[in-house]
Amino acid sequence: MAIYSISGYGSMIADKGRMDAYVKALRQAVKPASVVLDIGTGTGIFALLACQFGAKKVYAIEPSDTIQVAREIAYVNGYADRIQLIQQLSNQVKLPELADVIISDIRGVLPLFQQHIPSIVDARKRLLAPGGIMIPQRDTLWAAVVEVPHLYNRIVSAWDDSEYGFDMKAARQIVTNIWSKGWVAPAQLLTTPQSWATLDYTTIESPDISAEINWDVAKSGTAHGLSVWFDATLAEGISFSNAPGMPELIYSIAFFPWTEAVLLRVGDKVSVTLQANLVGDDYIWRWNTCILNQENPTEIKANFKQSTFFGMPLSPAQLRKTAANYVPTLNEDGEIDRLIVEFMSSGMALGDIANRVKEKFPSRFRNSPEALTRVGDLSKKYSK
């Protein structure tokens, strides 16, 4: 679950391209009798707008403590009676009525982000009235091969040019398997952008995406990887895009670096299999690239197999702990958490639990308030 700062939510509200589109879509969708569900309400801007446009009831869901700020804002603006704020994940919520409109913006740089798609699928199936409206309706993902030395050097220069004379290639292998973000100008595209996936939120079922993209290089240059962005359709005729050349939005553009920079000529053929699989709360991305020489189509200029899995440095000792046949024993932190959860299950008050934990682990907690902080963190995570 992404947790944003209040200033982060402020940046989202200040993004005119994003906000103007959402305002138009809400104004078009909300009717005087509408019930609206706002997933990931943050400080509550969409919930407030829904009320302003005449919604009779808004259910605003936000799992983080930012919800308290949303509650205060709803009150001072006179909408506390129409906005019901719910501090939970949307897939844990049961509503007393179905929503006529569901609005959300729980994307990251790309729509394939954490539990975004599973949350939307669940809400559509359980919480949307028949014939109800989803905002956004769909996102279309695009990709192009790019020449972006400013982005690439930011990633690899520390490992390529060690002024101390050491070979740092082991770190380079990791950082070139991690995607980042950065704006790209249209002149830096070496291929024509290709649409490789459409996420239709009215029908989508799976959070996983895989597609093969093929390009004939349109402009010679030194290619450093792929830029990936999306066009958002909030309602028919209402959209925005973070494509190169468009006004900059809060989302930026994703950059998937190649293992090495490659000199491309017009007519070279680039084939990329781009795949995203949701594992737990995060996506594992794969981008496998094959480049063929236009002068000799059987000559492979480059062949990269990359994945964010390779961007996670894991020691053999840590990998061993994830094996199916590994039999774990609790370390001291595990013993502390186990004891706290046992006391919570027995119905003991948090202050009493903190005192007991401090007595059991005197070297870990200098005083009861310190132990209470640890107990409180687990209470926020596990208690109803």
Side-chain angles (χ1 to χ4, degrees):
M1 177 190 72
I3 298 177
Y4 301 100
S5 65
I6 299 302
S7 60
Y9 284 114
S11 297
M12 295 179 200
I13 294 171
D15 186 338
K16 286 282 290 177
R18 167 187 178 271
M19 280 301 300
D20 286 352
Y22 269 102
V23 168
K24 290 177 183 176
L26 260 178
R27 182 182 284 115
Q28 178 175 293
V30 174
K31 305 296 186 273
S34 291
V35 174
V36 177
L37 172 60
D38 177 10
I39 300 176
T41 195
T43 52
I45 185 65
F46 292 160
L48 296 169
L49 286 165
C51 287
Q52 187 179 81
F53 298 149
K56 72 172 183 179
K57 185 71 176 183
V58 179
Y59 297 96
I61 298 173
E62 172 57 48
S64 78
D65 287 338
T66 301
I67 199 167
Q68 181 56 33
V69 179
R71 185 171 285 114
E72 293 174 21
I73 290 174
Y75 176 79
V76 299
N77 283 280
Y79 293 129
D81 59 330
R82 280 197 277 163
I83 299 176
Q84 181 175 335
L85 288 141
I86 304 169
Q87 189 171 11
Q88 278 185 299
L89 294 170
S90 63
N91 61 10
Q92 299 170 353
V93 170
K94 295 181 180 179
L95 299 181
E97 56 189 330
L98 296 177
D100 302 298
V101 179
I102 294 179
I103 185 169
S104 67
D105 184 4
I106 46 180
R107 310 174 185 88
V109 174
L110 295 172
L112 299 166
F113 178 69
Q114 296 185 356
Q115 292 294 318
H116 171 217
I117 293 176
S119 297
I120 294 303
V121 173
D122 172 74
R124 185 190 74 221
K125 290 181 175 181
R126 291 195 306 113
L127 305 175
L128 184 65
I133 296 171
M134 303 284 296
I135 304 174
Q137 289 187 355
R138 61 185 175 273
D139 287 326
T140 302
L141 290 146
W142 297 81
V145 177
V146 290
E147 182 174 28
V148 284
H150 68 296
L151 297 181
Y152 198 72
N153 291 337
R154 184 177 68 191
I155 295 169
V156 304
S157 61
W159 315 115
D160 280 344
D161 306 314
S162 173
E163 62 178 289
Y164 307 106
F166 301 119
D167 185 334
M168 307 292 282
K169 293 292 191 296
R172 191 187 195 284
Q173 174 65 25
I174 291 172
V175 298
T176 54
N177 281 280
I178 301 171
W179 69 271
S180 58
K181 65 179 183 178
W183 288 102
V184 177
Q188 293 175 293
L189 274 58
L190 302 182
T191 62
T192 302
Q194 295 239 17
S195 170
W196 61 277
T198 296
L199 310 177
D200 185 338
Y201 299 119
T202 66
T203 60
I204 194 168
E205 295 288 340
S206 172
D208 301 331
I209 300 293
S210 180
E212 181 177 319
I213 317 169
N214 295 287
W215 291 279
D216 289 338
V217 173
K219 176 182 177 183
S220 296
T222 300
H224 298 98
L226 311 174
S227 279
V228 179
W229 61 90
F230 68 95
D231 295 343
T233 299
L234 305 188
E236 293 309 319
I238 302 173
S239 61
F240 62 80
S241 174
N242 65 334
M246 298 296 289
E248 294 186 7
L249 299 175
I250 193 73
Y251 309 97
S252 190
I253 295 175
F255 172 57
F256 290 79
W258 282 345
T259 303
E260 300 286 347
V262 181
L263 180 62
L264 297 182
R265 300 296 185 191
V266 173
D268 285 350
K269 296 185 180 298
V270 180
S271 176
V272 175
T273 299
L274 191 56
Q275 183 174 343
N277 295 96
L278 183 62
V279 179
D281 280 336
D282 289 305
Y283 274 88
I284 298 293
W285 285 85
R286 295 175 178 84
W287 58 108
N288 296 336
T289 305
C290 182
I291 304 172
L292 300 179
N293 189 336
Q294 54 91 12
E295 295 179 352
N296 182 1
T298 63
E299 178 189 337
I300 297 177
K301 295 183 75 168
N303 192 7
F304 306 131
K305 296 187 183 301
Q306 294 173 264
S307 170
T308 50
F309 180 79
F310 302 138
M312 298 181 286
L314 292 174
S315 68
Q318 292 300 317
L319 284 172
R320 182 173 61 89
K321 293 180 180 181
T322 66
N325 61 351
Y326 179 72
V327 180
T329 56
L330 292 178
N331 59 20
E332 187 175 56
D333 279 319
E335 292 288 356
I336 292 170
D337 287 354
R338 180 190 60 80
L339 185 62
I340 292 171
V341 171
E342 286 182 357
F343 285 145
M344 288 171 59
S345 298
S346 70
M348 190 179 295
L350 297 189
D352 294 333
I353 295 175
N355 290 332
R356 297 285 290 274
V357 170
K358 177 182 174 297
E359 291 172 4
K360 179 72 173 178
F361 300 94
S363 64
R364 292 296 302 274
F365 302 102
R366 293 170 296 176
N367 49 52
S368 293
E370 194 172 276
L372 183 59
T373 297
R374 178 71 167 264
V375 173
D377 287 342
L378 288 183
S379 177
K380 287 190 289 186
K381 186 173 183 178
Y382 294 121
S383 62
K384 296 179 180 179

